[in-house]
Amino acid sequence: MLRRTTGVAGLLIIVSSVIAHPGAAQAAQAERPPMVLAVDLSKPIKPVDQAASGSLYGLGDEGWPADKWIAGIKPKMFTQPPPGATHQPNGEPAPVGDTLKVWPVAKRHGATVTVRLPDIFPSFPYVWQGDDYWYGQVEKMVRATLASGADNIYGYEIWNEPQWTWNPAWGDFFAMWAKTHRLIRSIDPDTPIIGPSYDRDYEVGLRPFLTAAVASDTVPDIVSWHELGPVTGMQVETHVDQYRALEKELGVGPLPISINEYGSPRDAGVPGWLTRFVAKLERSRVDTANLAFWHKPGRLADLLVPKGGGSGPAREADPTGNYWLYQWYAGMTGRMVQVTPPAPTARWIEVGTPVPSAPTRSAGRFGGAIPLNGEAPNRHVTMPAGVLRGVSDFTIATWVNLASVADWARIFDFGTGTSVNMFLTPRAGGGGLRFSITTGPGAEQQINGTGPLPTGWHHVAVTKDGTTGTLWVDGAPVGTNPNLTIGPADLNAGDTPNNWIGRSQYPDPLLDATVDDFNIYDRALTAAEVQALQTAPGAGNVLAYHFDETAAPTTPDASGNGHDGTVTTGVTGVSQLPAPDGFASVDGRTAKVVFGGGSGDLQLKVAGIPFRGRADVRVFATEWTGTDGVSAGPVPVFGGTYPVRDGAISVPVSDMDDTTAYLAVVRPATGPVPSYHRSEAFDGRSRTSPLASENHYATGRNFTFTVDAPAAGAYDLALRYTGGAAEGSIAGRPVSFPAADGFATVRSTAVLRKGHNQIKVNIRGGTLGADYLDISPFRTRVQAESGTWTDASLTRIDMSEANFFAPYVSGNAYVADFALPSSTLRLPVSVPAAGRYRLTIGYSTAGTEAERRAQIKSGQLVRVNDGPWQPVSYEPTQFRQMIRQTTVQVDLPAGASTLAFTKSDQPGTVDLDYVDVSKTIN
């Protein structure tokens, strides 16, 4: 809904919808007590300074992006490549965002610049080119920065993510830090030095770093780290508290804190989810924070997309839904104030009692097998620590039946963490089957197959014989490396604690497959021996799992070494509710509260109101439009006046979507709120409740809402009510009202004529309390995966924390690869009235980087039932799985229809996420 008629008789001006409702009458949504977001305007925490408004590589060059977009978000700090950088982020054809080119741009908008020194290296992860090169380049970069006249340099960042990008073979990191720190200070005694920019293990990594820095008298002026995890990134307040305690222990600081990268890939395009990060960063009182860089530079970190789409420079740009969130943030003045969310450090609020699922087995190639993920409760198998101790040459062989293929999922992974490990993945980053082994950054050795491992049963094996590594599929070699000099014994002397089947050391997707006959040998099998495993079970002399046991949490080791495995399963009995959060400011008698991340109902409690009487409250929303989707701007949700009691107001917000961000503006009421007139119900009696809109509602058996519709057609209706169970009707359509101790929502549709309409609500056999009726042009979302398809494929996104790089798509699934002329999708759709409807299609495109940069469009054809085909044009997305929208209008009959999409002779390859069907209102 957008604007609501409150009470039971009022005037409605209808605009485009934010929240989609189905067309048929529905039972009320399940009632649960609303979560509470508490704001206290009398408790300031800091002056407003937009600390979290910056971005990594947010500036590309002069005019990239245009000044108007930068000005709109009031950035505090950007992190940019250094003078002379050779770094080409994410496939850029040339270096982008050199500090010397963009510091004047930042300065025009009151922003500072962090100089990321290691970006002098061309690739990431960095490849060390020797001490002489590094220290020589540091001197050049610092001198060039000083000579530029830049007076808005926030600091020099010595290194980036050293826990995994610094190879101990290059020397001691702390020694490099100290020498670099002293070199910078000998040239530039004033500009702050920033570090260590860890991206994980903060409480473990910061202690030895800061201890060494204190000992060498090279403590940074600004301490930095990253908050990137979809769940661990929510714990920034805990991390800040841990760091502040460490400072006191070591006698340091307090130092300014820069979270110079925040937000995971899934958060990049989602306003509601990024609201959580900003809220936590503000409460932590960090000095600066930058949105992380995941996609393309010069876009203020996914706040902008180039007109026409694609992966090229956003010199001519359009805003995404995220942009308006940061514009709201920029509009805050005065003081930031205390906000207390229901779960300060969580992404989810768990409700219920967790119960581990019972492990299962299934049929395999030889007897039993273990199904992992998909519909199975099993998640992965853990092998004992040190299982590879003493193993140099080896064979690891197993049968795998992939149900789906996800980039970087693991068939097996042995290691101490992300720096030291060896693994086998069915598909390496869109490429092929890969075995990898590494003892640290810059030390990786690989064996690559000729393509990804197909779905279905296949036998895979890795052998190492001396320095020759071979990758086998179905008994045939598919890849070799004659210089495989690292073996399992080199991985922490074989004492690896994290040894898994189906799980990665990294936050990658879990394996969606069935595994059978997993064997480890302490020698390289011959070709004949590998081929023999195609027809008979193996007999690994280090470890042998046949999975023939009954469903049990342990899988016995048949090698005789006692290396039994443990099966980890999912849990049942727990629901995860999205956790809302927010941040707020007050300036004089005006307060602004930005909130999001929650789903369903929220009670916004605002205390410390600096005036009496009634408060004018207006709420706006900016919704998810996809990482590549264009947003026309925020839309109004509702408005009204609320009584100030004991310096506080209670504002209920219903039907929140966790991907949407919301802004509430609170100021003294000086008259009626435009377009939101409230009057009492006919035959009703008034009641008060802090959970009711404007804190009062009407009771009775019959209610009449008066609406002025701007056009004839179908409309969604959502009635907010309270009371016992009852039967009744809305606009003549039968509706059931389940009992609601608090407030619940029941939905229906109506066909309205242009101009004046009366919508009657009738209750049979009792009375109810009616709060308000939301009315908006009809809109329903049809997920692509709900249809049927030919010559295309279903892709499901694993949104668990383990899959760090998961993008967000609607419904966590989409239908991919409309690449053949015969590729077709058929979607069922039903509308309450015949007429012209707009189809808003969420999609992403395939194609090469060159095609994306050239903004080469793709196409399809669409039709209704057996009607004529009409073209649909798709502008390119910057990457696959980055969602953008296109629109087309169709005529739909009342009732059920089928929408058909086909590639036919149209160019390009498109993946379809969803189709929003909405009534066009002129």
Side-chain angles (χ1 to χ4, degrees):
M1 72 285 185
L2 286 189
R3 299 186 177 184
R4 71 173 48 145
T5 58
T6 47
V8 286
L11 176 68
L12 175 69
I13 298 176
I14 300 172
V15 295
S16 60
S17 176
V18 169
I19 298 177
H21 303 314
Q26 291 190 333
Q29 67 179 41
E31 182 193 8
R32 61 169 171 79
M35 295 187 188
V36 176
L37 188 71
V39 180
D40 193 334
L41 303 182
S42 69
K43 295 181 178 178
I45 61 173
K46 54 178 284 193
V48 170
D49 65 351
Q50 286 79 30
S53 58
S55 53
L56 173 60
Y57 308 153
L59 303 178
D61 205 337
E62 182 68 51
W64 173 13
D67 278 357
K68 68 174 183 178
W69 299 116
I70 304 171
I73 65 167
K74 288 186 181 176
K76 186 174 183 182
M77 187 269 284
F78 293 100
T79 296
Q80 297 290 141
T86 60
H87 189 53
Q88 296 170 239
N90 278 355
E92 287 295 300
V96 173
D98 187 308
T99 292
L100 298 190
K101 295 183 178 180
V102 301
W103 73 260
V105 179
K107 182 177 180 179
R108 282 202 300 272
H109 300 285
T112 58
V113 175
T114 289
V115 184
R116 177 164 283 181
L117 297 179
D119 280 358
I120 195 64
F121 298 112
S123 61
F124 184 80
Y126 309 118
V127 177
W128 188 251
Q129 298 181 32
D131 288 6
D132 290 345
Y133 176 85
W134 170 248
Y135 297 114
Q137 289 297 324
V138 169
E139 181 174 354
K140 289 180 182 178
M141 291 184 286
V142 174
R143 291 192 185 281
T145 302
L146 287 172
S148 72
D151 56 0
N152 61 329
I153 300 301
Y154 185 66
Y156 300 109
E157 184 184 17
I158 287 181
W159 201 259
N160 174 41
E161 301 181 356
Q163 287 123 311
W164 72 279
T165 65
W166 180 263
N167 188 339
W170 303 339
D172 181 73
F173 174 74
F174 298 149
M176 183 280 290
W177 167 274
K179 186 173 181 179
T180 305
H181 188 288
R182 294 188 186 107
L183 175 59
I184 294 171
R185 277 289 162 261
S186 70
I187 303 166
D188 183 347
D190 299 320
T191 303
I193 292 175
I194 302 170
S197 297
Y198 287 169
D199 72 330
R200 64 200 72 181
D201 302 329
Y202 315 104
E203 59 272 36
V204 175
L206 283 170
R207 176 177 293 277
F209 167 79
L210 204 58
T211 301
V214 169
S216 63
D217 194 24
T218 57
V219 173
D221 302 289
I222 300 169
V223 70
S224 62
W225 68 83
H226 303 166
E227 296 284 359
L228 302 177
V231 175
T232 58
M234 297 287 97
Q235 298 165 11
V236 59
E237 293 168 86
T238 300
H239 298 152
V240 168
D241 288 344
Q242 290 170 341
Y243 170 71
R244 292 301 186 200
L246 178 61
E247 279 186 326
K248 290 181 179 179
E249 178 184 334
L250 298 179
V252 173
L255 302 176
I257 294 174
S258 179
I259 306 301
N260 48 12
E261 295 184 34
Y262 72 86
S264 71
R266 73 189 62 190
D267 299 300
V270 185
W273 297 356
L274 283 176
T275 299
R276 296 188 187 119
F277 278 96
V278 177
K280 292 163 173 47
L281 291 163
E282 283 290 340
R283 283 198 299 273
S284 299
R285 299 173 177 84
V286 301
D287 187 58
T288 59
N290 286 343
L291 282 161
F293 171 79
W294 297 115
H295 304 120
K296 288 295 180 180
R299 301 185 178 201
L300 305 178
D302 294 309
L303 303 194
L304 303 172
V305 291
K307 289 185 179 295
S311 59
R315 295 182 184 276
E316 296 292 330
D318 286 314
T320 66
N322 275 350
Y323 182 84
W324 308 110
L325 165 65
Y326 286 86
Q327 189 179 75
W328 290 342
Y329 189 24
M332 288 181 161
T333 55
R335 300 165 295 161
M336 303 301 293
V337 297
Q338 178 179 291
V339 177
T340 305
T345 62
R347 191 180 189 98
W348 305 98
I349 297 173
E350 291 192 345
V351 178
T353 302
V355 178
S357 300
T360 61
R361 302 293 189 273
S362 63
R365 293 292 293 186
F366 309 111
I370 186 160
L372 299 176
N373 301 296
E375 297 181 359
N378 313 307
R379 295 296 174 256
H380 62 271
V381 178
T382 300
M383 295 170 278
V387 67
L388 296 177
R389 189 180 299 117
V391 175
S392 181
D393 286 1
F394 69 91
T395 298
I396 302 179
T398 188
W399 281 94
V400 180
N401 181 1
L402 288 174
S404 64
V405 184
D407 286 344
W408 302 115
R410 299 295 202 263
I411 296 172
F412 62 76
D413 198 330
F414 301 81
T416 63
T418 56
S419 295
V420 178
N421 56 69
M422 74 175 198
F423 64 81
L424 180 65
T425 178
R427 188 173 70 189
L433 181 70
R434 176 183 294 175
F435 169 79
S436 170
I437 185 167
T438 182
T439 55
E444 183 183 18
Q445 297 177 359
Q446 301 175 357
I447 313 172
N448 289 294
T450 54
L453 187 68
T455 55
W457 279 110
H458 294 278
H459 188 266
V460 293
V462 182
T463 62
K464 179 179 182 291
D465 186 3
T467 62
T468 300
T470 306
L471 193 56
W472 308 75
V473 174
D474 295 333
V478 296
T480 186
N481 181 348
N483 297 305
L484 193 70
T485 59
I486 306 173
D490 298 312
L491 307 177
N492 198 39
D495 287 326
T496 53
N498 306 328
N499 306 316
W500 296 305
I501 299 171
R503 178 181 171 184
S504 171
Q505 309 287 331
Y506 287 85
D508 292 317
L510 296 171
L511 185 70
D512 183 12
T514 301
V515 178
D516 193 11
D517 198 39
F518 188 92
N519 291 279
I520 303 177
Y521 303 78
D522 62 1
R523 64 182 180 86
L525 298 186
T526 65
E529 288 173 317
V530 173
Q531 290 160 7
L533 296 177
Q534 312 307 299
T535 56
N541 66 340
V542 176
L543 178 150
Y545 294 160
H546 298 313
F547 303 112
D548 292 333
E549 65 277 359
T550 57
T554 300
T555 182
D557 173 23
S559 74
N561 294 316
H563 293 149
D564 295 352
T566 303
V567 180
T568 297
T569 63
V571 297
T572 60
V574 173
S575 296
Q576 289 186 321
L577 304 178
D581 208 337
F583 52 98
S585 69
V586 64
D587 192 352
R589 287 153 60 91
T590 297
K592 295 181 179 180
V593 184
V594 175
F595 57 100
S599 180
D601 296 345
L602 178 78
Q603 185 182 9
L604 181 62
K605 291 184 175 181
V606 184
I609 298 286
F611 53 82
R612 298 178 180 180
R614 298 187 69 85
D616 178 327
V617 179
R618 307 186 194 192
V619 176
F620 305 85
T622 178
E623 66 177 344
W624 173 74
T625 55
T627 310
D628 276 23
V630 177
S631 170
V635 291
V637 180
F638 67 87
T641 61
Y642 290 77
V644 179
R645 297 188 176 99
D646 297 323
I649 59 173
S650 172
V651 182
V653 183
S654 61
D655 301 331
M656 284 178 61
D657 186 298
D658 66 301
T659 65
T660 296
Y662 301 84
L663 166 68
V665 180
V666 180
R667 55 172 62 95
T670 58
V673 178
S675 304
Y676 306 113
H677 177 69
R678 165 174 284 181
S679 61
E680 296 297 330
F682 300 143
D683 301 326
R685 294 175 298 171
S686 179
R687 298 287 187 270
T688 62
S689 168
L691 299 182
S693 178
E694 297 193 357
N695 298 164
H696 65 82
Y697 62 97
T699 61
R701 291 182 299 168
N702 302 296
F703 309 93
T704 300
F705 294 81
T706 301
V707 176
D708 283 329
Y715 289 81
D716 288 323
L717 311 177
L719 179 70
R720 192 76 169 164
Y721 75 95
T722 185
E727 298 296 319
S729 63
I730 300 177
R733 296 170 65 89
V735 172
S736 295
F737 295 87
D741 292 333
F743 285 84
T745 304
V746 69
R747 308 183 191 285
S748 187
T749 60
V751 179
L752 303 181
R753 61 178 178 268
K754 182 178 181 179
H756 192 72
N757 293 263
Q758 285 192 336
I759 298 175
K760 295 183 180 294
V761 177
N762 299 311
I763 311 300
R764 298 193 300 273
T767 62
L768 285 180
D771 187 9
Y772 60 78
L773 184 72
D774 276 334
I775 305 177
S776 56
F778 173 85
R779 177 181 170 186
T780 186
R781 173 162 291 183
V782 184
Q783 300 289 353
E785 61 269 22
S786 70
T788 59
W789 53 87
T790 303
D791 292 331
S793 61
L794 176 65
T795 297
R796 295 193 182 278
I797 304 295
D798 172 13
M799 294 299 288
S800 67
E801 184 183 11
N803 189 12
F804 177 82
F805 288 100
Y808 176 70
V809 299
S810 181
N812 300 334
Y814 61 94
V815 181
D817 299 320
F818 288 86
L820 301 175
S822 55
S823 297
T824 302
L825 173 67
R826 297 172 182 83
L827 293 176
V829 64
S830 182
V831 299
R836 176 144 287 238
Y837 288 80
R838 177 184 294 108
L839 307 183
T840 301
I841 305 164
Y843 71 92
S844 69
T845 60
T848 66
E849 174 68 7
E851 290 170 335
R852 296 178 190 279
R853 295 186 75 85
Q855 299 187 317
I856 303 299
K857 295 181 181 180
S858 298
Q860 288 182 328
L861 301 177
V862 64
R863 71 177 179 182
V864 178
N865 297 325
D866 294 324
W869 294 99
Q870 63 183 91
V872 184
S873 179
Y874 299 97
E875 295 173 337
T877 52
Q878 59 180 317
F879 291 110
R880 215 160 185 179
Q881 297 185 334
M882 304 291 101
I883 302 302
R884 191 174 173 88
Q885 292 84 30
T886 191
T887 62
V888 63
Q889 295 196 4
V890 297
D891 292 316
L892 293 175
S897 297
T898 298
L899 293 173
F901 294 84
T902 186
K903 174 178 168 60
S904 186
D905 59 351
Q906 301 299 294
T909 297
V910 176
D911 304 331
L912 294 179
D913 184 16
Y914 64 86
V915 178
D916 281 345
V917 182
S918 58
K919 186 69 181 74
T920 58
I921 300 294
N922 296 323

